Amino acid sequence: MSKKTVISMAVIRRLPKYYRYLGELLRNDIERISSKELSERIGFTASQIRQDLNNFGDFGQQGYGYNVRALRDEIGKILGLNKEYKTVIVGAGNIGQAVANYTNFEKLGFHLIGIFDRNPKLIGMGIRDIEVQDVDNLESFLKNNPADIGIICVPKEQAQRIADAFVKSGIKGIWNFAPTDIAVPEDVIVENVHLSESLLTLSYRLNESELFKEKIGR
Amino acid sequence: MSKKTVISMAVIRRLPKYYRYLGELLRNDIERISSKELSERIGFTASQIRQDLNNFGDFGQQGYGYNVRALRDEIGKILGLNKEYKTVIVGAGNIGQAVANYTNFEKLGFHLIGIFDRNPKLIGMGIRDIEVQDVDNLESFLKNNPADIGIICVPKEQAQRIADAFVKSGIKGIWNFAPTDIAVPEDVIVENVHLSESLLTLSYRLNESELFKEKIGR
């Protein structure tokens, strides 16, 4: 939280969406696009798009638009997709299995090297080519097989303990699916997926018009 | 996208976090808290907290702080948690099962009334008390059992078709886990959970310092 970021989180969170849309354009053999057309597809304004991309350099040419492939490759590099990452998942329940089975992550360069759980019914089970190991082996496994990203898919009560084990092993990136916030040193990055918060945002928005009708009617 | 919201999305997305923290305080028998203490726990500044909450009315008293229970109840109402919602899930794979098994949603008032899939191996399987039905039954089911929220957990190629069926049935809130954007009428609200975008945000942040070192070094 206190770490200064050079680019605002709002811009950063839009980059993966650009990356996804540009990939779809390429799959449809569209090699060139104006910021106006891109804007119509992606739903951000053309000036927003120009501003966002200007943060990272000088893409696009006046009167030509963007070269889709070059822009996608460049955004890929910005997103760190020119590298490979080793990942481990702790928690082989539904969420852990969903993440493990999401083959698109492999294509993006995120390679799963280990899955751990404490449930004897899950230990030994194969998910893709990987056998679920006892979570008691986590620390020794990470000592011998350093990972870049640790993925937490355990209940909230166990999340901090797993995060501590990740940090101890030198992992600098944690993807946290447990419905709680975890404490880590300043140089470790945590990205949360809090499903309840997403659902409550939806229920807020479903009730918003009504809510303000009441307030105004007071 | 074009729908005007009265409160900024940034504020709205913080509300569920307030709700969760205030719930944790209550479970620890803390009934009263200053905005400063709340700030230290939740990681937003005290002035941010006061600003956020002022959007919805006059909480907290000078010199007393916030009444935790009253504030939590009020935020719960703002989030629409004083109501009950009927939900259906389409896609009974890992993500669909994870959402179905997340019992906390029931406690918050979101009641799952149906799960659908097209895979014969999954149809007939029981998840909690609910039997997975053939997705071909979706429209007739929704006609007889109106739902408030439709949850999309199918591959991206099928997402729009399911969204269309939801809209046709009168559903006004869609929670979309498919890695694609779906098109809906203006009065339908879509909340996306795009896991790839979250993972790419993490890889960006892991590389950020390096990225800007390079740019500056040019």
Side-chain angles (χ1 to χ4, degrees):
Chain A
M1 287 270 173
S2 63
K3 192 170 164 270
K4 278 221 179 72
T5 45
V6 190
I7 302 288
S8 86
M9 277 309 292
V11 178
I12 295 165
R13 293 203 176 275
R14 283 194 290 271
L15 290 179
K17 195 164 177 180
Y18 286 116
Y19 188 79
R20 176 159 58 86
Y21 270 83
L22 292 166
E24 282 175 21
L25 290 175
L26 283 183
R27 277 190 291 283
N28 292 316
D29 295 318
I30 298 171
E31 294 275 352
R32 189 175 137 176
I33 196 164
S34 67
S35 54
K36 184 164 171 289
E37 284 171 285
L38 186 57
S39 150
E40 280 157 14
R41 286 178 181 252
I42 204 167
F44 308 148
T45 66
S47 89
Q48 172 92 83
I49 292 175
R50 282 189 298 266
Q51 261 180 45
D52 281 354
L53 300 180
N54 277 343
N55 279 303
F56 300 97
D58 199 8
F59 303 115
Q61 276 175 270
Q62 196 72 40
Y64 173 90
Y66 294 109
N67 176 319
V68 175
R69 189 175 306 272
L71 182 57
R72 178 170 172 275
D73 288 351
E74 198 57 35
I75 292 178
K77 265 187 236 164
I78 293 166
L79 290 171
L81 297 181
N82 50 337
K83 297 190 185 167
E84 308 278 309
Y85 302 88
K86 289 182 176 154
T87 68
V88 293
I89 294 174
V90 180
N94 288 308
I95 284 280
Q97 290 187 37
V99 173
N101 282 314
Y102 206 75
T103 50
N104 196 41
F105 297 153
E106 290 285 332
K107 284 184 213 144
L108 293 169
F110 299 89
H111 304 297
L112 184 61
I113 61 168
I115 310 177
F116 299 83
D117 205 288
R118 64 172 190 180
N119 181 346
K121 284 185 196 152
L122 296 175
I123 295 168
M125 184 178 75
I127 299 179
R128 297 215 334 256
D129 295 343
I130 299 164
E131 195 174 291
V132 177
Q133 297 181 59
D134 190 323
V135 72
D136 287 345
N137 299 338
L138 178 66
E139 295 200 28
S140 66
F141 178 87
L142 288 174
K143 203 177 274 180
N144 298 317
N145 307 274
D148 304 296
I149 293 174
I151 306 173
I152 299 180
C153 303
V154 298
K156 65 178 173 184
E157 295 75 16
Q158 297 149 45
Q160 185 63 53
R161 201 173 57 82
I162 303 303
D164 292 343
F166 283 162
V167 168
K168 199 175 153 198
S169 83
I171 282 177
K172 296 294 179 214
I174 295 179
W175 202 18
N176 175 39
F177 287 79
T180 188
D181 291 320
I182 52 178
V184 296
E186 279 232 339
D187 65 334
V188 176
I189 300 196
V190 178
E191 171 75 15
N192 292 303
V193 179
H194 285 161
L195 294 188
S196 299
E197 297 187 6
S198 173
L199 182 59
L200 296 193
T201 303
L202 178 59
S203 72
Y204 171 85
R205 292 168 67 200
L206 278 171
N207 288 288
E208 192 178 36
S209 52
E210 210 174 313
L211 187 71
F212 283 92
K213 221 181 291 163
E214 278 172 30
K215 295 256 169 200
I216 291 161
R218 263 182 193 174
Chain B
M1 289 267 177
S2 63
K3 189 166 168 274
K4 278 222 181 71
T5 45
V6 190
I7 301 288
S8 86
M9 277 308 291
V11 177
I12 295 165
R13 293 202 175 277
R14 283 194 289 272
L15 290 179
K17 196 165 174 178
Y18 287 115
Y19 188 78
R20 176 159 58 86
Y21 271 84
L22 292 165
E24 282 174 21
L25 290 174
L26 282 183
R27 277 189 292 282
N28 293 315
D29 295 319
I30 298 170
E31 294 276 352
R32 186 175 138 175
I33 195 164
S34 68
S35 52
K36 184 163 170 290
E37 283 170 286
L38 186 57
S39 150
E40 279 156 17
R41 286 178 182 252
I42 204 168
F44 309 148
T45 66
S47 89
Q48 171 92 82
I49 292 174
R50 284 188 297 265
Q51 261 180 43
D52 282 354
L53 301 180
N54 277 343
N55 278 304
F56 301 98
D58 198 9
F59 303 114
Q61 278 175 268
Q62 197 72 38
Y64 174 90
Y66 294 109
N67 176 320
V68 174
R69 190 175 305 273
L71 182 57
R72 177 169 171 277
D73 288 351
E74 197 58 34
I75 293 179
K77 264 188 238 162
I78 293 167
L79 289 172
L81 298 181
N82 51 337
K83 298 191 184 166
E84 307 278 310
Y85 302 88
K86 289 182 178 155
T87 67
V88 292
I89 294 175
V90 181
N94 287 308
I95 286 279
Q97 290 187 38
V99 173
N101 281 313
Y102 207 75
T103 50
N104 196 41
F105 297 153
E106 290 286 332
K107 284 183 214 148
L108 292 169
F110 299 88
H111 303 297
L112 184 61
I113 61 168
I115 310 177
F116 299 83
D117 205 289
R118 63 171 191 181
N119 182 347
K121 283 185 195 153
L122 296 175
I123 295 167
M125 184 179 74
I127 300 180
R128 297 214 336 255
D129 294 344
I130 299 164
E131 195 174 293
V132 178
Q133 297 182 59
D134 190 324
V135 71
D136 287 345
N137 300 339
L138 179 64
E139 295 198 30
S140 66
F141 177 88
L142 288 173
K143 202 177 272 178
N144 298 318
N145 306 275
D148 304 295
I149 293 174
I151 306 174
I152 299 180
C153 303
V154 297
K156 65 179 174 184
E157 295 75 17
Q158 296 150 45
Q160 185 63 53
R161 200 172 60 81
I162 303 303
D164 292 344
F166 284 161
V167 169
K168 199 176 153 196
S169 83
I171 281 178
K172 296 293 181 215
I174 295 180
W175 202 18
N176 175 39
F177 287 79
T180 188
D181 291 320
I182 53 179
V184 296
E186 279 231 341
D187 65 335
V188 176
I189 301 200
V190 178
E191 171 74 15
N192 292 303
V193 179
H194 285 162
L195 295 188
S196 298
E197 297 187 7
S198 172
L199 182 58
L200 297 194
T201 303
L202 179 59
S203 71
Y204 171 85
R205 292 169 67 201
L206 278 171
N207 288 286
E208 192 179 34
S209 52
E210 211 175 312
L211 188 72
F212 283 92
K213 223 181 290 163
E214 277 171 31
K215 296 255 169 203
I216 291 160
R218 264 181 190 172

